[in-house]
Structures are given as C-alpha cells and as structure tokens.
Amino acid sequence: MNTSIENSEVLYDYLVVVNPDVLVSKDIVRIRQFIGREIGDEGMVNPSVQIPLFRSVFPERFQEVFMETLEGIAKEQGGFAVYTSRIDSHQHADGRSSIFVNVANVKPLVSLQRALLQRFDLPQQDYRPHIMVAGRIEHPGLSRLLPQLSQQMFVRSFNCHCFSLLRRPSSGGKYERVRDFVFGDIEHMVGSLFNYAA
C-alpha cells in the first residue's frame, strides 16, 4: 500500500540560486530584450535573473529536511561580493546556443556550491558560475548576433548575503520562490563592523 502512495507522490524540481541585485538584474533583462527584438522573439524575456548553485528533484515530503540543511549551510556562510566580467556564448552539440554573463571572481561561489555538494554527500562537479541571459536558443538570426554580443564587457558587482530556494513541479512550469536563506557569519561579511584587524 505504501508503494502506491509513494508512486503517486508529486516530484518537485528544487533549485538553489544566488540572486543579483536589482540594478544587475535590470541590465540583464535589457540585454534579453535586445536579443528578443533582434531575433523577433520578445517572449524569450524571462524576468528571473540568477546564478544557479544546486539542483535536485525529490518528493515534497523531503522539503523540510532539505531546508534545515540549507539553513545550516547559510549560518556558516559569510557574505561576499560578486563581480561580473563579460558576456559569453556556448554552442551546444544540438546546434542551440546559450548566452551568459561570466563571473570574474568565481572562488566564493565555487566554495558555496562545494559546501552544498559536501553536505549532501555528492561528488564535486566542474562548476562555472554564470548568469544565464538566454539558454539553448535555436534561431537563424542568432548566428549574426553572437559575434556582436560575445566578449562584450559587462562589468558589474553586487553583495551576496543570501541564497534562495526555488521549486517547480518536475513536469515543468515556472519556478516559485520557497524561501531565502540569509548568511549567518556576520563577523566575516564584507563591510561588517567586525571586519578590521584586532
């Protein structure tokens, strides 16, 4: 009987992300709007701007335990600044293209992602922090646009003091925010009152 209940459980696609500040997000949306106008696909403008850290699919009944673990990681984490560098693109094997913004100082985000993987006993991965501008687009007009966009400088910065948990049904749909996890290591936060030599 338990097996049929477990089989009928709704699975959720959980995503842990860092959200850039409002100014960086607006600039990314402007680039998306430009691409959308140029290729004639205004529908590609997705308002969510984020740096993905961790993704997993599991039943909702594990959500509370997952959030307790994320809370523990956040409490041990100090704030840091994120610096972006330039717009880049990647050609996928299926012919589609992705456009993204590179992160210049990858170390704090790589360390945070590593902490997440270690806590869940998962192997380390090759992780390249980035902000997706347009993912897996297939459009003939994009090939003439890519040289214009690629390697363009996009120098911005924002302070990171939390990460967010998003979720959507594994069948698809739009991610919704579940909760933000504010970092708890106040002593080592950038710009903190405690950030001075004793």
Side-chain angles (χ1 to χ4, degrees), residues 123-140:
Q124 297 303 315
Q125 304 166 345
D126 182 27
Y127 174 61
R128 190 172 165 196
H130 63 278
I131 303 171
M132 188 61 69
V133 176
R136 304 187 74 85
I137 295 179
E138 186 174 29
H139 194 282

Side-chain angles (χ1 to χ4, degrees), residues 56-93:
S56 186
V57 176
F58 52 84
E60 187 177 29
R61 66 191 159 101
F62 295 117
Q63 181 175 301
E64 279 305 314
V65 176
F66 185 57
M67 289 200 302
E68 284 170 21
T69 305
L70 293 179
E71 182 74 49
I73 294 167
K75 277 184 180 160
E76 295 167 8
Q77 179 67 44
F80 53 87
V82 175
Y83 299 92
T84 60
S85 59
R86 60 187 166 80
I87 300 171
D88 211 341
S89 62
H90 175 73
Q91 186 83 30
H92 298 278

Side-chain angles (χ1 to χ4, degrees), residues 16-36:
V16 179
V17 300
V18 163
N19 297 296
D21 67 15
V22 175
L23 294 175
V24 173
S25 297
K26 279 184 178 175
D27 287 344
I28 296 284
V29 169
R30 278 193 203 103
I31 297 168
R32 287 178 180 164
Q33 288 168 336
F34 167 74
I35 296 168

Side-chain angles (χ1 to χ4, degrees), residues 3-161:
T3 314
S4 63
I5 292 170
E6 285 174 20
N7 288 343
S8 66
E9 273 187 296
V10 178
L11 293 174
Y12 280 92
D13 178 355
Y14 290 91
L15 183 63
V16 179
V17 300
V18 163
N19 297 296
D21 67 15
V22 175
L23 294 175
V24 173
S25 297
K26 279 184 178 175
D27 287 344
I28 296 284
V29 169
R30 278 193 203 103
I31 297 168
R32 287 178 180 164
Q33 288 168 336
F34 167 74
I35 296 168
R37 279 193 306 273
E38 289 294 309
I39 67 172
D41 182 8
E42 303 279 343
M44 69 155 283
V45 180
N46 176 351
S48 60
V49 175
Q50 59 219 7
I51 300 172
L53 288 169
F54 180 83
R55 188 173 173 202
S56 186
V57 176
F58 52 84
E60 187 177 29
R61 66 191 159 101
F62 295 117
Q63 181 175 301
E64 279 305 314
V65 176
F66 185 57
M67 289 200 302
E68 284 170 21
T69 305
L70 293 179
E71 182 74 49
I73 294 167
K75 277 184 180 160
E76 295 167 8
Q77 179 67 44
F80 53 87
V82 175
Y83 299 92
T84 60
S85 59
R86 60 187 166 80
I87 300 171
D88 211 341
S89 62
H90 175 73
Q91 186 83 30
H92 298 278
D94 63 3
R96 295 172 187 264
S97 297
S98 291
I99 301 165
F100 55 91
V101 170
N102 281 309
V103 171
N105 62 325
V106 299
K107 196 172 177 186
L109 288 162
V110 168
S111 296
L112 180 53
Q113 195 249 10
R114 191 170 289 143
L116 287 160
L117 292 176
Q118 282 174 347
R119 199 63 63 96
F120 294 107
D121 290 325
L122 294 169
Q124 297 303 315
Q125 304 166 345
D126 182 27
Y127 174 61
R128 190 172 165 196
H130 63 278
I131 303 171
M132 188 61 69
V133 176
R136 304 187 74 85
I137 295 179
E138 186 174 29
H139 194 282
L142 199 60
S143 56
R144 67 177 168 76
L145 199 60
L146 282 179
Q148 186 183 343
L149 282 172
S150 281
Q151 308 307 311
Q152 284 282 332
M153 296 309 290
F154 187 86
V155 180
R156 308 285 188 281
S157 68
F158 64 92
N159 287 323
C160 177
H161 54 82

